[in-house]
């Protein structure tokens, strides 16, 4: 569960600022929090999302809630949402400057031949991400033999993204307990049926590539309501790689599961034991994800758990958690949890430009003062700054997102810093990054 500095959290919540100086408490005692939205200001690789919610059989009210959620997120994180339900809208042209394509509440094959080709190329070749929400994973053409035959030539791309489509569901409003998956390779999932195979990869929280999706979210959540989906077969059984038309699709990485005893799946549905609800899959150079939850507005309303889960999942699909993990370099990404996600596609050496080591005088000239007791950084530009302090091993000691402006400074208590080298990184509102290594004598 996410932790935060208790004192600084209180000050931030109160919006405490005086005479143009932002004050933050000492790093020290920490408390556990419940569902915490991501910080107000954050720079991401999400520049544009295509939200396609063409619906074939049912006019799900949730599609409006999803639209509202992404519009709220776009305003908060400064990205563009191109939403459409127009037949034939998905093309190579409409996907040209998009990082993540979101399909919402479709109830069938919403793509024509042109769209099918465009989205496959978008993911498998260009290395982008596709997210399917709730009814988007239902009734997409794919021949079955008791379960979807993903290798069949008649199986459409969106079915290969979803892997296991909707089969049946409980009535809307059914209460359940869900939990963030953390099964590790070699482990038989909890609550699994007798004879269930062990996992072949780490899942969810235990997977370095996806662990940041859960930042700010509770590990277990009771009292959730939805029309819980069941599937012809357990998605978790798709635990090996598959090749389609020469392109490798990896095993499923389960993110969220449901406790079947808490909601009793629909009587006509197969019992899964361990009941996956959301998962991801590598698809060529790109990434696919399916979140079967989200029929009701309660899931997508402002500050809901599911809105933040979908947002963090969107960030993962846009590769926000990939990059340079060494703070000694200008390219250092404090959000990164892995260096490479797609071998042969991502840059295997993302750390390129070393930062200078400055004494106190040099640092002061750049508006940065670091002592054994505190940090002071000038933030003259109007807008949002990100300020990071890390030690020589890359351990994050301080991280704040603050509003800058004329004659404004960030001041923070950092008691007890020993002699040594520290990284101070400042991301400015207009895109400039200042990374400085300071040697405390």
């Amino acid at each position: 569960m996410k932790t935060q500095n208790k004192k600084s959290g209180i000050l931030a919540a109160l919006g405490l600022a005086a005479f143009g100086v932002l004050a933050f408490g000492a790093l020290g005692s920490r408390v556990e929090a419940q569902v915490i939205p991501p910080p107000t200001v954050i720079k991401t690789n999400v520049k544009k999302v295509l939200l396609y919610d063409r619906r074939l059989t049912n006019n799900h009210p949730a599609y409006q809630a999803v639209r509202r959620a992404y519009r709220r997120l776009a305003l908060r994180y400064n990205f563009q949402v191109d939403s459409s339900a127009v037949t034939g809208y998905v093309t190579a042209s409409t996907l040209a400057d998009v990082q993540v394509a979101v399909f919402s509440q479709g109830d069938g094959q919403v793509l024509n031949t042109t769209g099918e080709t465009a989205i496959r190329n978008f993911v498998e070749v260009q290395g982008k991400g596709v997210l399917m929400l709730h009814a988007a994973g239902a009734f997409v053409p794919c021949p079955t033999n008791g379960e979807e035959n993903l290798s069949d030539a008649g199986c459409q791309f969106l079915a290969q993204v979803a892997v296991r489509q909707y089969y049946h569901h409980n009535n809307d409003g059914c209460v359940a307990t869900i939990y963030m998956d953390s099964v590790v390779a070699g482990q038989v999932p909890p609550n699994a049926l007798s004879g269930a195979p062990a996992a072949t990869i780490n899942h969810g929280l235990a997977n370095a590539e996806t662990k940041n999706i859960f930042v700010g979210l509770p590990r277990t959540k009771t009292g959730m309501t939805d029309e819980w989906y069941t599937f012809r077969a357990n998605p978790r059984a798709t635990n090996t790689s598959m090749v389609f038309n020469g392109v490798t699709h990896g095993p499923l990485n389960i993110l969220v599961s449901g406790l079947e005893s808490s909601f009793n799946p629909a009587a006509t549905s197969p019992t899964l034991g361990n009941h996956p609800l959301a998962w991801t899959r590598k698809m060529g150079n790109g990434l696919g994800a399916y979140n079967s939850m989200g029929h009701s507005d309660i899931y997508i309303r402002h500050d809901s758990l599911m809105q933040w889960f979908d947002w963090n999942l969107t960030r993962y699909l846009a590769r926000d958690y990939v990059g340079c993990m060494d703070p000694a370099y200008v390219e250092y990404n404090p959000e990164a949890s892995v260096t490479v996600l797609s071998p042969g596609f991502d840059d295997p050496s993302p750390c390129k430009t070393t930062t200078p080591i400055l004494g106190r005088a040099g640092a002061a000239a750049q508006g940065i003062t670091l002592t054994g007791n505190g940090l002071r950084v000038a933030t003259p530009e109007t807008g949002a700054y990100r300020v990071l302090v890390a030690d020589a091993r890359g351990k994050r000691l301080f991280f704040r997102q603050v509003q800058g402006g004329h004659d404004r400074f960030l001041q923070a208590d950092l008691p007890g810093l020993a002699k040594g080298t520290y990284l101070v990184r400042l991301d400015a509102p207009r895109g400039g990054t200042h990374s400085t290594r300071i040697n405390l004598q």
Side-chain angles (χ1 to χ4, degrees):
M1 186 170 291
K2 186 176 180 180
T3 59
Q4 71 172 21
N5 181 299
K6 184 175 182 181
K7 182 177 179 182
S8 62
I10 294 173
L11 293 177
L14 294 176
L16 184 61
F19 305 108
V21 177
L22 302 180
F24 295 90
L27 298 181
S29 62
R30 294 180 178 271
V31 296
E32 286 196 335
Q34 295 301 314
V35 179
I36 302 174
T40 301
V41 178
I42 193 167
K43 291 185 177 180
T44 81
N45 290 322
V46 184
K47 306 303 180 187
K48 186 176 181 180
V49 169
L50 174 61
L51 176 58
Y52 192 54
D53 50 18
R54 180 185 172 215
R55 300 163 305 284
L56 299 186
T57 60
N58 290 302
N59 193 18
H60 280 283
Y63 91 90
Q64 297 174 330
V66 173
R67 281 199 177 196
R68 289 193 296 268
Y70 271 94
R71 287 168 182 166
R72 284 193 298 267
L73 291 167
L75 288 173
R76 190 169 187 177
Y77 299 109
N78 192 32
F79 66 91
Q80 182 182 353
V81 177
D82 181 13
S83 56
S84 176
V86 176
T87 301
Y89 188 77
V90 177
T91 65
S93 177
T94 56
L95 290 169
D97 53 353
V98 168
Q99 286 73 49
V100 180
V102 179
F103 290 82
S104 174
Q105 319 303 325
D107 272 336
Q109 173 58 299
V110 296
L111 295 174
N112 57 20
T113 302
T114 297
E116 172 91 0
T117 300
I119 195 66
R120 186 182 290 274
N121 181 71
F122 176 80
V123 176
E124 294 180 339
V125 178
Q126 297 177 34
K128 303 297 182 67
V130 57
L131 171 60
M132 297 178 67
L133 297 178
H134 193 56
F139 315 128
V140 181
C142 187
T144 64
N145 182 19
E147 59 187 68
E148 289 83 356
N149 185 356
L150 302 175
S151 299
D152 192 284
C155 190
Q156 303 298 306
F157 182 70
L158 292 183
Q160 293 175 344
V161 174
V163 178
R164 297 294 167 236
Q165 301 182 62
Y166 158 82
Y167 175 69
H168 214 300
H169 64 78
N170 298 85
N171 291 331
D172 191 25
C174 179
V175 178
T177 296
I178 66 173
Y179 56 93
M180 309 308 166
D181 211 283
S182 58
V183 172
V184 298
Q187 177 187 3
V188 176
N191 308 310
L193 300 178
S194 175
T200 58
I201 62 170
N202 292 350
H203 291 267
L205 277 165
N207 191 315
E209 297 176 351
T210 52
K211 67 179 184 179
N212 283 2
I213 292 173
F214 305 97
V215 171
L217 303 180
R219 299 300 174 255
T220 301
K221 184 66 175 176
T222 60
M224 302 296 284
T225 57
D226 204 336
E227 51 171 35
W228 304 103
Y229 276 12
T230 57
F231 314 99
R232 292 185 177 88
N234 195 329
R236 196 181 291 276
T238 309
N239 57 6
T240 59
S241 296
M242 306 173 73
V243 178
F244 306 123
N245 299 319
V247 178
T248 300
H249 290 194
L252 293 197
N253 173 10
I254 308 300
L255 303 179
V256 180
S257 293
L259 186 63
E260 282 196 337
S261 61
S262 69
F263 66 94
N264 295 319
T268 58
S269 301
T271 300
L272 302 181
N274 181 281
H275 196 104
L277 296 170
W279 51 84
T280 64
R281 188 181 206 187
K282 295 181 180 180
M283 309 180 76
N285 292 328
L287 302 166
Y290 177 42
N291 178 8
S292 69
M293 300 173 284
H295 177 77
S296 303
D297 181 72
I298 190 172
Y299 273 88
I300 322 290
R301 69 187 182 191
H302 183 55
D303 284 341
S304 76
L305 180 152
M306 202 51 56
Q307 174 175 299
W308 296 119
F309 175 72
D310 285 345
W311 166 236
N312 287 353
L313 187 51
T314 301
R315 290 188 62 199
Y316 163 75
L317 295 172
R319 300 176 186 268
D320 272 352
Y321 309 136
V322 181
C324 178
M325 300 176 66
D326 188 340
Y329 291 81
V330 172
E331 294 82 9
Y332 175 57
N333 174 15
E335 306 291 335
S337 58
V338 292
T339 302
V340 174
L341 192 60
S342 300
F345 181 80
D346 290 325
D347 187 346
S349 302
C351 301
K352 301 184 183 303
T353 310
T354 57
T355 60
I357 297 180
L358 299 178
R360 294 180 184 175
Q366 294 192 21
I368 300 173
T369 303
L370 181 66
T371 69
N373 292 315
L375 168 73
R376 181 179 171 90
V377 178
T379 56
E381 291 182 22
T382 299
Y385 283 81
R386 297 201 311 172
V387 184
L388 168 81
V389 179
D391 66 16
R393 295 182 179 180
K395 180 181 179 181
R396 187 187 306 189
L397 305 176
F398 177 86
F399 182 60
R400 290 286 181 272
Q401 304 189 55
V402 298
Q403 290 292 323
H406 181 65
D407 293 332
R408 180 170 287 187
F409 291 84
L410 163 71
Q411 288 190 168
D413 295 331
L414 289 169
L417 287 186
K419 293 181 180 180
T421 300
Y422 296 88
L423 172 89
V424 179
R425 172 171 171 150
L426 193 66
D427 291 329
R430 298 174 187 171
T433 295
H434 309 284
S435 296
T436 302
R437 286 193 290 168
I438 297 177
N439 189 18
L440 286 184
Q441 302 293 332

